[in-house]
């Protein structure tokens, strides 16, 4: 892959972040996600790749765009696998919380794992713990190994985990062992990346999250020198069969970095939507400008670039198209809702009137009487 592709990819995550940022705290995660997806899909048309989405917004019949199998790019560059999460942390944006990202990973064709949409058990660490811990060990054993390798007291270790009921047993063990715990409301990719950034203050990331997000995290950690180990968690026989159909012969085996992203080059880009440990969020400035904070990395060179960009919003044609499309949908929905209300009013009025017909000397007489 050409090195110029890295900067092309980060332009895509920047626009997706700018499109979704206005929805921060407005309680509408679907509109936030839609805005990011529309912007990302439009921006891909300018990227010099012949890409195929292997991790996206869902199957073809579930997602209008950026669906699994969709071709993206202008077909003028290399053939690549593309993994996207236009808005990683839809709930985060809706609630105005931290760590929402727009994320893309690109690898040579055939290298990215076609991860099914299910939970994956995960263990992610930074460079100092690569090859030193195993997802197959009990969590208390992992903690003791990590403390020894990092030359820290167990009470000084910080473990990050999603705040979910399904993690109750792990959390209970972590508390018993005596580590510090940092809970994450959402944002599985950002969480798994955190141990590779010293400034984040996270030693280990554990717990289960989305399998597609695990592949995206693997792409990031491969650039950062960290590691993630995963194991799929099919919930039933149908989910197990789905794994087999996607080419995963043993859904219960431990997945390594090589299993998830292959051995070749990978490019990873992310732009912050809301502030987090790793990236700042979109900031709106005076004079119709906004600032984004991004990271773009490449496995081949191990180059890590932080990019702080000021955007002149009136010049962003894609953003105007996204807002116009969403406004049109809102108008159409409002019109449909108004029609529904009118129909309900008419039905209610008809129900409230009692109609009878009686005979009289002058012929039939229709009588209406309001109920009650």
């Amino acid at each position: 892959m050409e090195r110029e592709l890295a900067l092309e990819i980060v332009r895509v995550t920047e626009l997706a972040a700018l499109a979704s940022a206005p929805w921060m705290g407005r309680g509408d995660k679907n509109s936030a996600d839609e805005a990011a997806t529309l912007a990302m899909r439009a921006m891909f048309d300018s990227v010099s790749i012949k890409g195929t989405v292997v991790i996206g917004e869902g199957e073809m019949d579930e997602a209008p765009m950026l669906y699994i199998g969709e071709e993206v790019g202008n077909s003028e560059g290399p053939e690549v696998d593309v993994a996207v999460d236009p808005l990683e942390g839809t709930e985060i944006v809706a609630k105005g919380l931290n760590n929402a990202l727009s994320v893309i990973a690109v690898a040579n064709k055939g290298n990215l794992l076609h991860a099914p949409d299910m939970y994956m058990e995960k263990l992610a660490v930074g460079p100092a713990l690569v090859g030193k811990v195993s997802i197959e060990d009990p969590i208390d054993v992992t903690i003791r190994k990590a403390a020894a390798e990092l030359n820290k007291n167990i009470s000084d270790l910080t473990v990050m985990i999603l705040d979910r009921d399904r993690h109750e047993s792990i959390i209970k063990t972590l508390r018993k062992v005596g580590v510090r715990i940092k809970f994450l409301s959402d944002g599985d990719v950002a969480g798994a990346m955190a141990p590779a950034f010293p400034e984040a203050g996270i030693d280990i990331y554990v717990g289960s999250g989305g399998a597609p997000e695990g592949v995206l995290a693997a792409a990031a950690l491969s650039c950062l020198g960290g590691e993630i180990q995963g194991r799929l968690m099919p919930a039933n026989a149908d989910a197990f069969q789905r794994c087999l159909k996607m080419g995963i012969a043993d859904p219960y085996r431990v997945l390594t970095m090589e299993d998830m992203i292959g051995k070749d080059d990978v490019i990873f880009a992310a732009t912050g939507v809301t502030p987090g440990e790793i990236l700042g969020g979109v900031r709106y400035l005076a004079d119709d400008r906004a600032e984004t904070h991004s990271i773009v990395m490449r496995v081949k060179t191990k180059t890590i670039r932080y990019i702080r960009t000021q955007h002149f919003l009136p010049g962003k044609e894609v953003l105007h198209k996204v807002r116009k499309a969403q406004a049109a949908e809102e108008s159409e929905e409002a019109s449909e809702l108004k029609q529904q209300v009118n129909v309900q009013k008419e039905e209610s009025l008809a129900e409230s009137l009692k109609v009878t017909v009686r005979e009289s000397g002058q012929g039939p007489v229709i009588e209406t009487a309001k109920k009650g």
Side-chain angles (χ1 to χ4, degrees), residues 73-153:
N74 61 17
S75 299
E76 295 179 0
E79 288 191 85
V80 295
D81 288 343
V82 179
V84 303
D85 197 341
L87 182 55
E88 206 262 328
T90 57
E91 286 280 1
I92 292 174
V93 173
K95 295 178 180 178
L97 302 176
N98 291 346
N99 283 315
L101 302 172
S102 176
V103 182
I104 295 174
V106 177
N108 291 321
K109 189 173 179 63
N111 278 273
L112 293 184
L113 176 70
H114 293 221
D117 189 9
M118 63 179 61
Y119 284 133
M120 175 190 281
E121 181 186 355
K122 302 172 187 178
L123 173 64
V125 296
L129 291 177
V130 172
K132 307 297 184 182
V133 292
S134 171
I135 197 172
E136 296 187 281
D137 285 336
I139 187 62
D140 57 332
V141 173
T142 298
I143 294 302
R144 292 187 178 93
K145 286 183 177 180
E149 289 293 336
L150 297 174
N151 195 26
K152 284 186 175 184
N153 296 320

Side-chain angles (χ1 to χ4, degrees), residues 183-204:
F183 291 102
L184 196 62
S185 62
D186 289 283
D188 202 20
V189 175
M193 290 169 60
F197 291 90
E199 62 270 28
I202 305 299
D203 297 299
I204 302 173

Side-chain angles (χ1 to χ4, degrees), residues 4-20:
E4 291 81 5
L5 181 56
L7 295 180
E8 288 192 68
I9 293 299
V10 81
R11 288 178 60 244
V12 180
T13 58
E14 285 177 343
L15 261 292
L18 286 169
S20 58

Side-chain angles (χ1 to χ4, degrees), residues 48-285:
S48 298
I49 56 171
K50 186 177 182 180
T52 302
V53 176
V54 298
I55 290 176
E57 291 292 276
E59 301 293 338
M60 186 184 297
D61 58 349
E62 298 172 347
M65 60 185 66
L66 295 180
Y67 54 81
I68 297 171
E70 183 176 2
E71 294 184 356
V72 295
N74 61 17
S75 299
E76 295 179 0
E79 288 191 85
V80 295
D81 288 343
V82 179
V84 303
D85 197 341
L87 182 55
E88 206 262 328
T90 57
E91 286 280 1
I92 292 174
V93 173
K95 295 178 180 178
L97 302 176
N98 291 346
N99 283 315
L101 302 172
S102 176
V103 182
I104 295 174
V106 177
N108 291 321
K109 189 173 179 63
N111 278 273
L112 293 184
L113 176 70
H114 293 221
D117 189 9
M118 63 179 61
Y119 284 133
M120 175 190 281
E121 181 186 355
K122 302 172 187 178
L123 173 64
V125 296
L129 291 177
V130 172
K132 307 297 184 182
V133 292
S134 171
I135 197 172
E136 296 187 281
D137 285 336
I139 187 62
D140 57 332
V141 173
T142 298
I143 294 302
R144 292 187 178 93
K145 286 183 177 180
E149 289 293 336
L150 297 174
N151 195 26
K152 284 186 175 184
N153 296 320
I154 287 178
S155 59
D156 295 333
L157 285 181
T158 304
V159 177
M160 179 174 274
I161 188 170
L162 281 169
D163 188 7
R164 298 289 187 271
D165 291 341
R166 65 179 182 270
H167 292 151
E168 181 179 355
S169 177
I170 299 175
I171 293 168
K172 184 177 180 180
T173 300
L174 291 173
R175 286 172 170 163
K176 185 177 180 180
V177 172
V179 297
R180 290 155 38 95
I181 306 172
K182 185 162 187 179
F183 291 102
L184 196 62
S185 62
D186 289 283
D188 202 20
V189 175
M193 290 169 60
F197 291 90
E199 62 270 28
I202 305 299
D203 297 299
I204 302 173
Y205 179 80
V206 298
S208 59
E213 287 80 2
V215 176
L216 284 162
L221 288 167
S222 66
C223 301
L224 293 161
E227 179 186 25
I228 183 171
Q229 301 168 38
R231 182 160 44 202
L232 295 173
M233 303 170 67
N236 49 46
D238 288 342
F240 187 90
Q241 288 299 317
R242 192 161 76 250
C243 292
L244 299 181
K245 289 179 180 178
M246 297 180 78
I248 303 169
D250 181 4
Y252 294 115
R253 75 181 178 89
V254 173
L255 297 171
T256 65
M257 299 274 281
E258 185 177 329
D259 293 322
M260 289 188 262
I261 60 169
K263 293 181 177 180
D264 293 336
D265 201 9
V266 177
I267 293 172
F268 177 90
T271 300
V273 181
T274 61
E277 280 86 5
I278 299 168
L279 295 172
V282 175
R283 289 198 311 129
Y284 290 93
L285 311 174

